[in-house]
Amino acid sequence: MELIRLSKSCISEKEKIAVLEVLEKEFLGMGPKVKFFEDQLSQYFDKRSVCVSSGTAALHLALQSVGIGQGDSVIVPSITYVATFQAISATGATPIPCDVREDNFTINIDDAEKKIKDNTKAIIPVHYAGDPGNLELIYHFAKKYELRIIEDAAHAFGSIYKEKKVGSIGDIVCFSFDGIKNITSGEGGCIVSGDENVIQHISDARLLSVENDSSARYKRKRSWNFDVRHQGWRYHMSDIMAAIGSEQLKRFGELQTKRKILAKTYQSLLRDNQKIKILNHDYDKVTPHIYVVVIPESISRNELMKKMLENGIQTGIHYQPNHKLSKYKSNKEIRLPVTDNYCERIISLPLHPDLDVSKINFIVEKLLDNIKKC
Ligand SMILES: *Cc1c(COP(=O)(O)O)cnc(C)c1O
């Protein structure tokens, strides 16, 4: 029995050929392939895009580029990958965990409003499972409190908000291209923004803040006489990664369609089920990165995950709430009603473009079977 993986990279011959081509050039660092991928992305979003080494690096540099640091606080949903929290704490700022909406697990703005402090400088909405939530409300809220918005769109490559691509609108939008995201470059990420200062800062800061080194690297050169004014990092993307990313972006239509069909299949099979709660995402707009369901309180999630694995089906948890991790928990009790209510009951079912509808039928059949047994 072949294991049905929770998620995986889906790689065609085209990515393999593109990587070989880079290897044969014997120039593996940041060069013309990164420039090409960035131009492709800028065209896709109709906005400047800068590539970096990961989605976490994208978030970290985005925060740094707007001056977030020691003494500041940033509001963020507790239900996210720890990457979002680590990016905030890496700047010296404090993440303030916030609750999510019950219907789709995107940020709960009523709760965010309660969490505002004098030192709050930014908010990071996380586009959970690919769903940007109510962006208009989030932007309205940020304007009222003069906050910068850094969208964690790691799940949301390809998603649409009000007829526009996520990334093509907004303040600063960060994507991840890690191995299992909607598109991958192996590891990688990008920042999309209309703010020239942000773009300029990030394109230097990813190369140790060596001023204008990016333009030299694009030509396989580097700067020898330079000045450095800011803290920087080795967060640039390599030509190997960019070559994979470029081919994935060319294939994205196919990858996106597959994800949507599979999620719609889950949705139609589970919609009327009395035991399972599904999240409310509109897959005509959302390109889903994960498929999450809520199981009944009476059932042991560990036992269910074990039984699924015995049936050859890998499952996951997106995510443990960050406000319960040792690094981020507070002495004061933090109450996040929706997060606390659901965090022990969420389970992610396999979703990646190499699955097909018959596999989804099989997974749902086993899920409902095992729920009866648990
Ligand atoms: C994947 C992910 C990140 C981080 O991206 P990496 O490329 O893995 O560093 C950040 N936030 C969320 C919600 C993610 O899923």
Side-chain angles (χ1 to χ4, degrees):
M1 180 173 58
E2 204 189 332
L3 180 70
I4 300 178
R5 288 164 66 178
L6 174 64
S7 50
K8 70 187 276 289
S9 314
C10 300
I11 298 296
S12 75
E13 284 308 310
K14 295 197 172 123
E15 287 88 328
K16 294 176 193 172
I17 293 165
V19 168
L20 264 182
E21 195 189 300
V22 174
L23 293 177
E24 273 158 14
K25 288 254 173 1
E26 298 187 326
F27 183 99
L28 311 186
M30 176 171 149
K33 292 287 178 191
V34 173
K35 168 90 171 91
F36 183 79
F37 187 32
E38 282 179 346
D39 288 346
Q40 260 181 311
L41 288 164
S42 299
Q43 199 166 34
Y44 179 81
F45 291 117
D46 195 19
K47 224 173 192 183
R48 283 285 298 280
S49 311
V50 182
C51 285
V52 291
S53 55
S54 72
T56 311
L59 291 164
H60 183 192
L61 292 180
L63 287 159
Q64 181 182 313
S65 75
V66 293
I68 306 286
Q70 199 85 41
D72 299 332
S73 71
V74 178
I75 294 175
V76 57
S78 183
I79 295 200
T80 181
Y81 190 36
V82 67
T84 326
F85 274 66
Q86 286 281 18
I88 297 167
S89 56
T91 67
T94 307
I96 308 206
C98 167
D99 210 0
V100 291
R101 282 164 52 169
E102 192 162 12
D103 57 341
N104 60 15
F105 287 11
T106 64
I107 195 161
N108 181 327
I109 288 297
D110 291 335
D111 191 55
E113 189 144 30
K114 293 183 199 145
K115 301 288 192 293
I116 287 270
K117 294 193 211 158
D118 287 344
N119 69 354
T120 305
K121 296 276 171 59
I123 180 169
I124 306 191
V126 176
H127 300 343
Y128 190 81
D131 194 331
N134 189 339
L135 275 185
E136 204 169 279
L137 186 69
I138 296 167
Y139 274 86
H140 181 78
F141 167 78
K143 193 164 179 201
K144 182 167 160 195
Y145 291 98
E146 296 180 358
L147 308 177
R148 290 305 291 247
I149 302 189
I150 293 151
E151 297 178 34
D152 181 342
H155 293 188
F157 196 93
S159 289
I160 301 291
Y161 180 78
K162 296 205 168 166
E163 319 300 322
K164 299 215 168 74
K165 291 183 189 114
V166 168
S168 71
I169 42 172
D171 187 2
I172 308 174
V173 188
C174 297
F175 292 92
S176 162
F177 306 136
D178 81 23
I180 58 167
K181 292 284 165 47
N182 292 359
I183 67 167
T184 186
S185 58
E187 297 286 354
C190 77
I191 300 101
V192 186
S193 182
D195 183 333
E196 267 310 309
N197 293 327
V198 165
I199 292 293
Q200 188 55 50
H201 181 97
I202 292 173
S203 72
D204 286 344
R206 66 177 164 175
L207 287 162
L208 300 171
S209 291
V210 171
E211 289 190 341
N212 298 315
D213 202 21
S214 285
S215 52
R217 302 250 172 184
Y218 292 148
K219 295 182 209 116
R220 298 205 183 100
K221 295 198 174 99
R222 53 193 281 200
S223 326
W224 297 111
N225 299 300
F226 56 77
D227 194 14
V228 169
R229 289 172 221 266
H230 304 287
Q231 176 65 56
W233 312 88
R234 290 280 285 178
Y235 276 174
H236 58 281
M237 182 179 268
S238 88
D239 266 13
I240 302 179
M241 297 148 81
I244 299 172
S246 281
E247 294 307 319
Q248 286 260 304
L249 186 52
K250 290 183 203 158
R251 291 176 59 211
F252 182 59
E254 162 208 334
L255 299 170
Q256 174 179 46
T257 304
K258 199 65 190 287
R259 282 185 178 273
K260 289 182 173 212
I261 290 171
L262 299 171
K264 281 184 181 177
T265 307
Y266 274 130
Q267 195 180 33
S268 69
L269 291 169
L270 291 167
R271 188 165 27 216
D272 298 324
N273 191 281
Q274 300 300 312
K275 293 210 164 129
I276 301 274
K277 171 187 155 70
I278 61 170
L279 300 182
N280 186 16
H281 304 304
D282 174 2
Y283 296 114
D284 290 328
K285 302 269 163 67
V286 168
T287 303
H289 167 54
I290 48 177
Y291 195 85
V292 176
V293 299
V294 181
I295 58 170
E297 209 167 356
S298 56
I299 283 171
S300 155
R301 180 171 61 185
N302 277 345
E303 205 185 321
L304 179 62
M305 291 176 78
K306 205 172 128 232
K307 283 200 157 57
M308 293 297 280
L309 200 55
E310 284 163 11
N311 295 133
I313 301 162
Q314 212 176 34
T315 55
I317 300 168
H318 294 93
Y319 296 94
Q320 296 189 88
N322 284 275
H323 73 283
K324 301 203 169 160
L325 299 176
S326 300
K327 180 166 168 60
Y328 298 113
K329 71 182 171 212
S330 125
N331 305 326
K332 284 195 319 234
E333 198 204 358
I334 305 171
R335 282 205 60 248
L336 304 175
V338 177
T339 304
D340 294 337
N341 182 23
Y342 288 109
C343 65
E344 311 265 319
R345 296 166 58 198
I346 48 179
I347 170 168
S348 309
L349 303 174
L351 184 69
H352 58 74
D354 286 344
L355 288 170
D356 55 39
V357 169
S358 73
K359 288 269 192 329
I360 304 297
N361 280 306
F362 173 75
I363 293 162
V364 169
E365 185 189 313
K366 292 298 170 197
L367 175 73
L368 299 179
D369 246 20
N370 287 326
I371 281 183
K372 277 190 209 131
K373 290 188 209 149
C374 282

